Amino acid sequence: MDLDIWILCEDQSRMGFMDCKFIAQHGLSLFIRAECDILFDAGPSDAYLHNADLLGLDISNIKWIVLSHGHWDHSDGLSFLPEFNPKPGFIAHPLIFADRHKASGEFNGMALHREEIQRRFDVLLTAAPHRITETVWFLGQIPRNNDYESRQTPFFRFENGRRRPDFLEDDTALAIVTNEGLVVISGCAHAGICNICDHAMQVTGEKHLAAVIGGFHLLEDSEQVAKTVAYFKSRRVRQIFPMHCTALPALADFYKAFGIRKLCTGDRIGLSSPL
């Protein structure tokens, strides 16, 4: 099966030209062409639509919208998506609508309310894994089993009027089974990119990780970065593409370990030829 992924929005953009200026914003949005066209996250604004147009991609053909979690920088772009008939499918964890905040108290959730999402899309909210197509899996809620990921959080949310820590239990990912092995696509990896990959292998039954792509959420914890690098080395992952929410020191460590290429807005990767 051929798999193509275009980066519609990311924290950085590749060089364009005078008539082809890609917009980079803090956030993530990917256009995935597998057995059908999938929009994975929508960034923080309409920038992903501008970039899709520059790349010659027809957003109206998407069959599924997958939301990795309910943070504004992955979801607020949905407000600018044209309404389609028939409605595309929309799949996410039920907690995406949580009333969530930064440590400063600033609102950190989605702009669109549940009612608007349900009006515009054919909605499936599930914490369980769901097979979108024969080869594409929505992973649902990610078990947090290791001792170095998702152990602390600066965020909080209100639940039934009570304040509680927000560990982003809705954070999830996609897993796609290819002839080369398993491709894991993460939005921000608040659940931990290693936890996500372990769950992806368990859900799909595929034990070889061919590629891991997306936000890794590796910021200031150097011990977590070292253990993540060791994890991927032990599993001999062929290609690794850390992007959004991955700090420069972590990117440097991944470069030294794997010789990574940093993907940016406007880039495309394909599995029909070597990554």
Side-chain angles (χ1 to χ4, degrees):
M1 181 203 73
D2 289 346
L3 172 63
D4 291 290
I5 302 172
W6 287 264
I7 316 303
L8 299 187
C9 182
E10 208 269 336
D11 298 30
Q12 297 172 302
S13 69
R14 73 174 175 87
M15 183 181 294
F17 300 95
M18 288 190 292
D19 60 345
C20 185
K21 298 176 182 177
F22 292 102
I23 297 174
Q25 290 184 332
H26 176 75
L28 189 72
S29 180
L30 308 179
F31 184 96
I32 301 167
R33 180 163 290 155
E35 293 172 270
C36 64
D37 289 351
I38 298 169
L39 179 67
F40 181 79
D41 288 350
S45 73
D46 62 349
Y48 74 109
L49 296 175
H50 166 86
N51 295 326
D53 186 58
L54 293 183
L55 291 165
L57 297 170
D58 187 356
I59 293 291
S60 67
N61 285 334
I62 58 174
K63 301 301 182 188
W64 281 94
I65 298 165
V66 179
L67 191 63
S68 66
H69 64 296
H71 268 164
W72 61 275
D73 53 328
H74 295 254
S75 63
D76 279 6
L78 292 171
S79 300
F80 303 92
L81 192 67
E83 296 192 29
F84 304 138
N85 185 18
K87 298 177 182 179
F90 177 97
I91 186 168
H93 189 286
L95 280 175
I96 58 167
F97 300 108
D99 180 10
R100 47 185 31 129
H101 299 259
K102 297 180 180 180
S104 64
E106 187 178 3
F107 182 68
N108 203 26
M110 293 175 54
L112 285 181
H113 297 290
R114 181 190 301 265
E115 294 75 18
E116 182 67 8
I117 292 286
Q118 291 175 330
R119 184 184 70 80
R120 296 180 59 184
F121 309 116
D122 185 9
V123 176
L124 173 60
L125 300 178
T126 177
H130 179 80
R131 200 169 196 166
I132 295 175
T133 70
E134 184 67 23
T135 60
V136 181
W137 286 86
F138 172 80
L139 293 179
Q141 188 158 331
I142 309 297
R144 304 184 184 198
N145 293 327
N146 66 45
D147 63 357
Y148 55 91
E149 294 181 309
S150 191
R151 295 290 151 178
Q152 297 178 329
T153 179
F155 306 126
F156 67 91
R157 70 176 186 251
F158 289 105
E159 201 169 89
N160 297 321
R162 300 184 65 181
R163 174 171 166 158
R164 56 168 293 175
D166 186 12
F167 280 90
L168 280 294
E169 289 93 337
D170 52 317
D171 181 81
T172 187
L174 283 179
I176 303 176
V177 179
T178 75
N179 293 333
E180 303 292 331
L182 193 63
V183 176
V184 175
I185 303 173
S186 66
C188 209
H190 290 281
I193 194 62
C194 302
N195 282 328
I196 288 171
C197 289
D198 281 343
H199 189 54
M201 289 186 286
Q202 181 180 8
V203 166
T204 63
E206 173 63 58
K207 298 306 179 187
H208 173 61
L209 286 171
V212 184
I213 304 163
F216 281 20
H217 207 263
L218 293 171
L219 302 175
E220 299 176 355
D221 190 335
S222 59
E223 180 181 358
Q224 181 181 346
V225 173
K227 289 184 176 181
T228 303
V229 168
Y231 173 93
F232 287 128
K233 280 186 174 180
S234 71
R235 282 150 184 83
R236 300 181 180 180
V237 183
R238 188 160 63 85
Q239 290 288 344
I240 301 174
F241 296 96
M243 298 164 55
H244 164 76
C245 270
T246 308
L248 182 59
L251 290 171
D253 286 345
F254 274 95
Y255 180 78
K256 287 186 286 186
F258 305 106
I260 64 165
R261 175 165 68 98
K262 173 66 170 63
L263 296 175
C264 301
T265 299
D267 282 332
R268 168 191 170 273
I269 55 173
L271 281 177
S272 53
S273 57
L275 276 168

